[in-house]
């Protein structure tokens, strides 16, 4: 069947006689226990080394397929092929949608999607961790541990819901006081359709919650490309961006402190500094990984 074209009906009796089939080990191991003697087989889809096939099995006492049954199977052939192809496309589309959300869950930064009433539609794993730490409050609406910061966040969300660009703000972490940046942006154009297709209906506002001290999840290649660093410099940049000392960085990377110092030119300090105060942007914030 691997060499047969898609949609062509092949009878087992055309490939091998029943007497020859019954003398085979395959018949004894597979067909005899199921009392199968005749097969109508059809390849419904084929791509590279993958085949999806249809089999209709009959017992020996039923005999081979008659002419009316063969015409029915041949009439069904294009419909069966089309159904399988459509099913694969739908499954592939759903898999791509799920993959997009799996990617969001792997991000170190929090991602939250709100609807037109400011209610939480989606929050990735990082956002839920921040909620567990007390940085965010994720119930029907989003807030922070601080009433003043929650009010400021509500204002940015209101502006974004009205169609404006949104903006950014900082909020201190309860645990150690480090500043996290919250970027708020309205969702427009094609992104509305993408989220709707993925099952997130009425999406209106997108929030990124960025922890500048948590940069370890960034791929080295992106750090190297963005800042023109070598591989060794990028490793050091990721380590020092978390706020640890030179001695701790040396120990974590199994290098000497002097080696770490040689990889700390001005451009690494600029690339990895976690203590810059966020600046509010009047235009729609752009975010890329």
């Amino acid at each position: 069947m691997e060499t047969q074209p898609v949609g062509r009906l092949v009878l087992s009796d055309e490939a091998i006689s029943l007497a020859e089939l019954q003398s085979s080990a395959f018949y004894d191991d597979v067909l005899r226990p199921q009392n199968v003697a005749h097969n109508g087989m059809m390849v419904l889809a084929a791509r590279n080394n993958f085949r999806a096939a249809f089999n209709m099995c009959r017992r020996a006492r039923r005999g081979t397929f008659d002419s009316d049954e063969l015409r029915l199977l041949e009439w069904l052939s294009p419909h069966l092929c089309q159904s399988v192809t459509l099913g694969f496309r739908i499954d592939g589309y759903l898999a791509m949608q799920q993959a997009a959300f799996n990617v969001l869950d792997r991000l170190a930064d929090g991602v939250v999607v709100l609807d037109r009433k400011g209610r939480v539609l989606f929050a990735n794993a990082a956002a839920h961790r921040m909620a567990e730490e007390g940085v965010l409050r994720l119930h029907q609406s989003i807030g922070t541990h601080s009433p003043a910061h929650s009010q400021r966040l509500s204002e940015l969300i209101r502006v974004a819901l009205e169609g404006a660009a949104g903006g950014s703000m900082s909020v201190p972490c309860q645990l150690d006081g480090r500043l996290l940046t919250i970027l708020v942006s309205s969702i427009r154009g094609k992104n509305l359709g993408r989220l709707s297709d993925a099952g997130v209906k009425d999406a209106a506002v997108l929030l990124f919650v960025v922890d500048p001290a948590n940069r370890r999840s960034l791929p080295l290649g992106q750090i190297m490309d963005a800042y023109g660093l070598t591989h060794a410099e990028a490793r050091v940049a990721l380590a020092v961006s978390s706020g640890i000392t030179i001695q701790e960085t040396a120990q974590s990377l199994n290098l000497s402190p002097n080696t770490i110092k040689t990889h700390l030119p001005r451009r690494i300090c600029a690339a990895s500094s976690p203590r810059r105060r966020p600046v509010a942007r009047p235009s729609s914030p752009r975010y890329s990984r």
Side-chain angles (χ1 to χ4, degrees):
M1 292 301 296
E2 290 183 357
T3 62
Q4 297 299 321
V6 172
R8 178 181 176 182
L9 178 64
V10 178
L11 301 179
S12 61
D13 298 272
E14 297 175 352
I16 183 173
S17 68
L18 180 59
E20 188 178 358
L21 179 64
Q22 290 175 330
S23 65
S24 67
F26 175 75
Y27 184 84
D28 289 334
D29 293 340
V30 179
L31 299 182
R32 188 189 299 277
Q34 302 179 75
N35 196 18
V36 172
H38 306 281
N39 269 290
M41 303 168 286
M42 187 186 304
V43 176
L44 301 180
R47 179 175 295 180
N48 299 327
N49 294 324
F50 173 80
R51 295 289 187 276
F54 165 82
N55 275 21
M56 179 169 285
C57 305
R58 296 175 70 108
R59 297 180 179 182
R61 63 184 178 87
R62 290 290 303 274
T64 60
F65 296 93
D66 60 32
S67 58
D68 289 338
E69 292 169 333
L70 291 177
R71 280 195 296 270
L72 176 61
L73 290 175
E74 290 172 350
W75 178 82
L76 287 173
S77 171
H79 303 286
L80 292 171
C81 293
Q82 186 177 21
S83 176
V84 170
T85 301
L86 180 60
F88 285 155
R89 288 179 179 174
I90 293 175
D91 287 344
Y93 185 56
L94 294 175
M96 286 189 294
Q97 293 174 352
Q98 187 61 41
F101 283 97
N102 288 339
V103 169
L104 290 180
D105 267 339
R106 293 177 181 271
L107 295 180
D109 300 324
V111 180
V112 182
V113 180
L114 307 179
D115 66 10
R116 299 181 185 278
K117 295 184 178 180
R119 296 173 299 195
V120 176
L121 291 175
F122 169 81
N124 71 345
H128 283 291
R129 285 195 299 270
M130 293 174 182
E132 292 172 359
E133 295 171 357
V135 177
L136 296 178
R137 290 179 180 173
L138 296 174
H139 299 293
Q140 282 194 343
S141 59
I142 186 171
T144 74
H145 63 87
S146 164
H149 289 88
S150 293
Q151 184 176 356
R152 169 62 177 155
L153 179 58
S154 296
E155 178 63 19
L156 290 177
I157 293 172
R158 184 190 64 80
V159 170
L161 286 172
E162 292 176 352
S168 64
M169 61 174 286
S170 61
V171 58
C173 179
Q174 273 188 308
L175 298 177
D176 54 15
R178 73 183 187 278
L179 290 181
L180 278 66
T181 302
I182 301 180
L183 306 175
V184 182
S185 176
S186 58
I187 302 176
R188 307 172 184 175
K190 294 181 179 179
N191 292 324
L192 286 171
R194 294 190 183 104
L195 288 169
S196 179
D197 290 343
V200 181
K201 305 294 184 181
D202 298 324
V205 177
L206 180 64
L207 288 82
F208 288 101
V209 187
V210 182
D211 184 354
N214 186 14
R215 303 292 84 191
R216 290 180 179 272
S217 64
L218 290 174
L220 286 178
Q222 292 188 13
I223 298 250
M224 294 164 65
D225 292 341
Y227 297 101
L229 304 180
T230 65
H231 184 273
E233 289 173 340
R235 290 180 64 209
V236 173
L238 280 176
V240 300
S241 68
S242 64
I244 63 178
T245 65
I246 289 179
Q247 184 67 35
E248 291 169 334
T249 299
Q251 291 177 353
S252 67
L253 298 180
N254 197 26
L255 298 171
S256 71
N258 287 335
T259 301
I260 297 300
K261 291 177 182 178
T262 63
H263 289 311
L264 282 176
R266 184 176 302 172
R267 57 181 174 162
I268 281 192
C269 294
S272 62
S273 175
R275 296 183 175 83
R276 294 179 178 177
R277 177 173 293 275
V279 178
R281 298 182 177 87
S283 59
S284 178
R286 295 183 179 180
Y287 183 84
S288 69
R289 291 297 254 164

